[in-house]
């Protein structure tokens, strides 16, 4: 259930609370990504201590490894990974499609997936033809090959929901086709319409199969309460398709909505205004895979309640750290004798206890602790930024914070 506490004047932005079986999410919130039922290099205690409210696991990855049956046997995602707060799983659509063919245009979200693909090519000699036939899309579903061992798999909307019911996160997503950012209008339209049909099937399956199969009233989260199902709005960078998608998906009885796919940088603002002007105001909205500071401000201003993104931890592992004055690369020579903190006023565990020189040393020596300390700082930075934005809406100084922060960060 979602409650709106306060709104941003003349905008869609708002502060609220989303009640899940495993706790309340104070929104707007940044949801930390734990792809394979772990936030890379961090313990659940560390994730909790840095202020994160919820974790998002990945359906595609968890289905392939260890398998959703194992997570179900363990008592659900929360118990399996020892995380006490709210949990999400995405539908797996993005990974099924982005690990496939036709994604060579190199837009942000897909670059990293290409790296995984390249790595998988080294791991398995069985999938040498991976480039040519990795994904086959049909009306019923999608056939794809595992990036781990090249084995064949088939996802339908029903299958994705069944897997997510087994994993048992508090919030799950309808299965969508995440088309390439470079796709032309006609294809984007076709994919969007298919996504709408799949959304309907996801919803129907989620609401009916449990009753039929086990007599239980609803698919439940790990502690026996009802999972929330979110529909996904697609339509790529085309305004009319986004509006259409918002109308169709918004008209279905979902508990909340995800906004997915590609946006041109200039277009995020406008797209969200279109979409959130159409989606039911009283329901929660999640922006999938977006986490750049400027995009967080734009998203929140335009009615986004939660975000997830791998960026903070992914770039942390390469030595890139967020600061109020933009990102720094801690591996650079200038930091090897710098005994100051990453940020003097940062309240994270890393900044309270370690210097730039120490972090720089850990990265140069390729010590595992480097990833942990850098991930703690970066996640704290982003989680805390969203918390500050939330507070600024309550204190009626959102625009002052936005201007001050962005001016410094992008100077
Ligand atoms: Zn810090």
């Amino acid at each position: 259930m979602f409650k709106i506490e306060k709104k941003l004047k003349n905008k869609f932005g708002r502060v609220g609370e989303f009640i899940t079986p495993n706790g309340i999410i104070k929104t707007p919130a940044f949801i930390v990504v734990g792809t394979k039922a772990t936030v890379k290099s961090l313990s659940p205690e560390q994730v909790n201590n840095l202020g994160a409210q919820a974790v998002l696991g990945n359906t595609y990855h968890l289905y392939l490894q260890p398998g959703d049956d194992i997570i179900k046997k363990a008592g659900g995602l929360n118990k399996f990974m020892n995380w006490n707060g709210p949990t999400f799983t995405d539908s797996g659509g993005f990974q099924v499609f982005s690990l496939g063919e036709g994604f060579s245009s190199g837009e942000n979200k897909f670059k990293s997936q290409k790296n995984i693909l390249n790595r998988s090519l080294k791991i398995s000699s069985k999938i040498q033809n991976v480039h040519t036939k990795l994904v086959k899309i049909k009306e019923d579903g999608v056939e794809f090959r595992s990036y781990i061992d090249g084995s064949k798999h088939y996802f339908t909307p029903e299958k994705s929901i069944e897997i997510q019911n087994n994993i048992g996160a508090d919030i799950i997503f309808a299965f969508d086709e995440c088309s390439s950012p470079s796709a032309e209008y006609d294809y984007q339209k076709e994919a969007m319409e298919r996504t709408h049909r799949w959304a309907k099937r996801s919803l129907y399956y989620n609401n009916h199969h449990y009753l039929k199969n086990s007599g239980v009233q609803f698919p439940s989260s790990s502690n026996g309460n009802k999972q929330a199902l979110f529909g996904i709005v697609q339509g790529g960078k085309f305004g009319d398709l986004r509006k259409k998608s918002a109308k169709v998906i918004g008209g279905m009885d979902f508990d909340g909505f995800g906004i997915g796919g590609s946006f041109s940088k200039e277009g995020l603002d406008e797209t969200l205004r279109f979409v959130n002007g159409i989606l039911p105001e009283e329901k929660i909205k999640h922006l999938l895979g977006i986490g750049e500071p400027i995009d967080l401000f734009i998203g929140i201003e335009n009615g986004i309640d939660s975000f997830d993104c791998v960026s903070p931890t992914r770039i942390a592992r390469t030595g890139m750290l967020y600061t109020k004055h933009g990102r720094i690369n801690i591996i650079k020579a200038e930091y090897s004798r710098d005994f100051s903190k990453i940020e003097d006023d940062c309240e994270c565990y890393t900044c309270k206890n370690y210097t730039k020189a120490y972090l720089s040393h850990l990265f140069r020596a390729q010590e595992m602790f480097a990833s942990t300390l850098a991930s703690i700082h970066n996640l704290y930075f982003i989680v805390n930024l969203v918390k500050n934005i939330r507070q600024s809406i309550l204190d009626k100084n959102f625009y002052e914070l936005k201007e001050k922060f962005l001016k410094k960060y992008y100077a």
Side-chain angles (χ1 to χ4, degrees):
M1 198 182 69
F2 186 55
K3 285 192 296 190
I4 298 170
E5 277 176 33
K6 194 173 178 86
K7 291 184 198 169
L8 202 55
K9 209 178 166 191
N10 300 325
K11 294 275 185 176
F12 295 119
R14 68 268 186 93
V15 163
E17 285 188 348
F18 190 65
I19 299 156
T20 81
N22 281 292
I24 293 170
I25 303 173
K26 287 178 179 292
T27 64
F30 184 83
I31 312 305
V32 171
V33 176
T35 303
K36 297 183 184 178
T38 174
V39 180
K40 290 193 197 312
S41 84
L42 301 183
S43 71
E45 288 77 14
Q46 287 168 324
V47 175
N48 184 51
N49 288 343
L50 65 84
Q53 302 185 69
V55 171
L56 180 139
N58 185 286
T59 299
Y60 168 89
H61 285 283
L62 292 174
Y63 157 79
L64 289 177
Q65 191 180 44
D68 47 299
D69 56 322
I70 289 179
I71 298 178
K72 190 180 182 180
K73 268 207 183 104
L77 181 61
N78 279 75
K79 282 197 183 130
F80 187 54
M81 69 179 287
N82 185 34
W83 171 254
N84 294 323
T87 46
F88 292 64
T89 44
D90 61 8
S91 68
F94 175 70
Q95 283 70 27
V96 166
F97 291 101
S98 63
L99 289 166
E101 59 184 323
F103 286 87
S104 53
S105 65
E107 297 205 19
N108 310 354
K109 284 175 77 170
F110 298 88
K111 266 188 192 155
S112 49
Q113 300 297 343
K114 272 172 61 193
N115 293 339
I116 295 172
L117 189 63
N118 290 339
R119 212 159 61 224
S120 74
L121 283 167
K122 280 177 210 148
I123 293 167
S124 172
S125 58
K126 279 190 239 166
I127 49 170
Q128 280 173 357
N129 294 324
V130 77
H131 280 123
T132 49
K133 282 282 170 241
L134 201 74
V135 179
K136 275 186 209 153
I137 306 164
K138 297 172 194 163
E139 177 58 29
D140 185 51
V142 189
E143 185 188 283
F144 63 95
R145 284 183 183 274
S146 160
Y147 80 101
I148 300 169
D149 60 7
S151 54
K152 239 186 226 178
H153 299 269
Y154 195 66
F155 266 20
T156 59
E158 292 80 9
K159 178 76 182 171
S160 170
I161 296 296
E162 186 191 356
I163 295 166
Q164 294 187 80
N165 289 158
N166 284 340
I167 294 171
D170 298 325
I171 294 147
I172 65 176
F173 285 92
F175 190 59
D176 64 322
E177 177 173 346
C178 190
S179 46
S180 162
S182 60
E184 294 301 324
Y185 184 89
D186 287 349
Y187 189 79
Q188 204 69 261
K189 185 166 181 275
E190 188 188 321
M192 178 196 77
E193 283 164 355
R194 193 163 28 240
T195 290
H196 296 165
R197 292 189 291 273
W198 286 358
K200 205 171 165 189
R201 282 167 56 186
S202 296
L203 192 60
Y204 185 84
Y205 188 77
N206 189 60
N207 292 346
H208 291 85
H209 81 111
Y210 260 68
L211 202 59
K212 200 171 67 195
N213 294 347
S214 58
V216 179
Q217 290 279 338
F218 44 74
S220 58
S221 161
S222 51
N223 67 358
N225 287 316
K226 192 175 180 294
Q227 289 182 305
L229 175 61
F230 286 19
I232 299 182
V233 173
Q234 286 288 357
K237 56 195 176 213
F238 303 103
D240 65 320
L241 296 185
R242 284 284 178 187
K243 281 182 188 166
K244 176 85 196 294
S245 192
K247 203 167 176 201
V248 174
I249 298 292
M252 295 185 200
D253 190 23
F254 286 111
D255 300 298
F257 300 97
I259 299 164
S262 51
F263 307 90
S264 57
K265 203 88 184 165
E266 309 73 43
L268 182 65
D269 195 16
E270 198 181 27
T271 304
L272 293 179
R273 263 186 284 125
F274 286 161
V275 169
N276 287 335
I278 296 168
L279 289 175
E281 189 194 6
E282 70 280 6
K283 290 190 180 174
I284 184 167
K285 284 119 191 164
H286 181 89
L287 187 57
L288 289 146
I290 300 277
E292 258 299 293
I294 187 161
D295 297 335
L296 298 174
F297 278 98
I298 292 172
I300 292 168
E301 189 172 345
N302 291 295
I304 294 299
D305 304 298
S306 56
F307 302 85
D308 76 89
C309 191
V310 292
S311 268
T313 44
R314 180 173 285 157
I315 67 167
R317 295 195 298 278
T318 70
M320 294 297 287
L321 302 172
Y322 293 115
T323 79
K324 285 191 287 296
H325 300 277
R327 291 178 187 181
I328 61 165
N329 181 355
I330 199 69
I331 304 168
K332 276 188 174 172
E334 65 189 273
Y335 298 116
S336 61
R337 287 168 188 277
D338 184 338
F339 298 99
S340 67
K341 294 167 177 189
I342 305 165
E343 292 206 282
D344 280 336
D345 57 352
C346 179
E347 297 280 320
C348 87
Y349 167 80
T350 303
C351 290
K352 274 188 190 161
N353 296 290
Y354 302 95
T355 62
K356 288 200 200 84
Y358 182 65
L359 265 146
S360 192
H361 155 67
L362 292 183
F363 272 101
R364 288 150 179 271
Q366 298 183 346
E367 284 291 336
M368 287 188 279
F369 196 37
S371 292
T372 302
L373 290 182
S375 296
I376 287 175
H377 172 79
N378 276 3
L379 280 177
Y380 178 88
F381 185 92
I382 294 293
V383 165
N384 199 52
L385 174 62
V386 174
K387 257 182 207 169
N388 289 340
I389 300 174
R390 182 182 201 272
Q391 192 59 43
S392 78
I393 297 175
L394 291 172
D395 296 342
K396 293 185 181 171
N397 57 14
F398 171 83
Y399 297 102
E400 287 93 312
L401 175 70
K402 183 184 173 189
E403 203 196 323
K404 212 173 109 188
F405 180 89
L406 295 180
K407 211 172 174 181
K408 248 191 220 170
Y409 190 83
Y410 294 102

